[in-house]
Amino acid sequence: MKNEAEKVFEALGDSGRLTVLTGAGISAESGISTFRDSGGLWDQYEIEDVATPEAYAANPSLVQDFYNMRRAHLGTVQPNAGHRALVRLEELLGDRFTLITQNVDDLHDRAGSRRLLHMHGELYKARCVDCGVAVEWRTDISLDDRCESCSGSMRPHIVWFGELPFYLEREIPEACASSAVFFSIGTSGMVYPANTLASQVKARGGFCVEINLEKTAGQGVFDLQIEGQAGETLPLLIAELEALL
Ligand code: OAD
């Protein structure tokens, strides 16, 4: 991994910023299902039934049950070495680091990542459908639960297909526009607009690295593709990088 770390270091320089995008693959070794791998969540459920505003309007109990099940499971799993390696990278880079995750689990948070943007929402939050206020929520959300501010009903604080991800107005574009290096970790790159972030960095001359079990198509943007389990490759890469920084 020394060669790979040297390439990243060369692109980063003394003052360059690094943005990381993670997907379900980084949490796979913790025991959370990915979406599109064989046996993944979208093999077991139809997106149209559980992950769209239309699904929630048609059958809110089914949608609540899907996220209640995932929220309950989250309490049984732990961050892995991949999450922890990203905490170390943040310690090394400080304000030069941003972590954007598509994951709605809290494993980055629990590992200790702080410069963290949950672009697709968070399982441990619920949001009022009327006033939009999001609050911490660790247990099941039921159709009887009401917003403390306005008595509206509560829904999972999750970005469904057809809804706009969070942090797109400022934080994510700013991080991508100012980054010399971009890591795409454990994501199939199938979901817009997360799958455009690497190309935004690339368009400004940035160096894009993919860390995945296997190479994705990646729209040809990746300068370096590291294959293997993120929980194994990331700690090695970041330890080598630490020796250079
Ligand atoms: P996917 O399930 O589409 O892709 C997971 C990726 O992780 C695949 O490319 C795998 O090869 C890779 N992978 C699996 N295990 C890995 C491991 N141990 N180490 C490294 N890579 C591994 O999941 P996402 O790309 O995250 O959105 O999916 C994006 C979005 O689609 C999700 O945020 C979710 C989903 O629908 C919403 O719910 C809005």
Side-chain angles (χ1 to χ4, degrees):
M1 208 58 83
K2 199 160 187 267
N3 280 347
E4 288 83 349
E6 279 170 359
K7 286 181 188 160
V8 171
F9 179 68
E10 196 178 309
L12 198 57
D14 288 336
S15 57
R17 291 185 51 90
L18 190 152
T19 292
V20 177
L21 173 71
T22 60
I26 196 157
S27 295
E29 289 158 71
S30 293
I32 296 181
S33 288
T34 59
F35 294 94
R36 294 174 187 78
D37 294 311
S38 151
L41 275 177
W42 296 152
D43 266 358
Q44 301 165 49
Y45 299 86
E46 298 296 328
I47 289 177
E48 296 75 18
D49 291 343
V50 294
T52 65
E54 294 76 17
Y56 186 66
N59 193 344
S61 311
L62 180 73
V63 174
Q64 295 284 24
D65 286 350
F66 175 68
Y67 291 99
N68 286 340
M69 178 233 2
R70 292 178 60 196
R71 192 177 305 105
H73 181 247
L74 185 50
T76 69
V77 301
Q78 300 297 331
N80 66 53
H83 298 103
R84 288 191 291 275
L86 290 176
V87 176
R88 184 67 194 134
L89 189 57
E90 180 176 351
E91 284 167 1
L92 294 168
L93 295 177
D95 287 336
R96 294 162 63 198
F97 177 89
T98 304
L99 174 54
I100 302 165
T101 187
Q102 298 170 87
N103 299 344
V104 296
D105 67 55
D106 70 336
L107 296 182
H108 284 306
D109 310 66
R110 267 194 266 160
S113 290
R114 292 295 170 257
R115 292 164 179 89
L116 171 63
L117 304 170
H118 277 278
M119 71 181 293
H120 287 167
E122 294 171 69
L123 266 178
Y124 278 152
K125 286 186 179 166
R127 183 166 88 240
C128 174
V129 296
D130 291 335
C131 72
V133 163
V135 291
E136 284 280 321
W137 205 286
R138 300 260 154 182
T139 54
D140 285 359
I141 307 176
S142 90
L143 297 178
D144 297 329
D145 284 315
R146 289 285 169 262
C147 172
E148 286 193 358
S149 314
C150 78
S151 301
S153 55
M154 302 302 284
R155 58 163 276 184
H157 186 53
I158 300 288
V159 176
W160 289 325
F161 285 89
E163 297 183 320
L164 268 188
F166 301 118
Y167 305 110
L168 282 182
E169 283 187 8
R170 186 170 63 82
E171 292 87 346
I172 289 177
E174 274 181 11
C176 291
S178 62
S179 282
V181 176
F182 184 89
F183 285 0
S184 176
I185 305 173
T187 176
S188 60
M190 300 292 283
V191 172
Y192 176 87
N195 61 358
T196 65
L197 303 185
S199 55
Q200 290 175 36
V201 175
K202 183 76 180 167
R204 291 171 176 260
F207 186 79
C208 295
V209 182
E210 175 170 74
I211 294 159
N212 198 302
L213 275 187
E214 57 196 17
K215 289 180 180 147
T216 67
Q219 294 95 32
V221 297
F222 295 115
D223 300 285
L224 179 63
Q225 290 178 291
I226 298 172
E227 288 177 76
Q229 300 213 342
E232 290 175 10
T233 57
L234 255 186
L236 294 175
L237 177 69
I238 287 161
E240 293 289 354
L241 200 52
E242 181 169 0
L244 298 167
L245 283 165

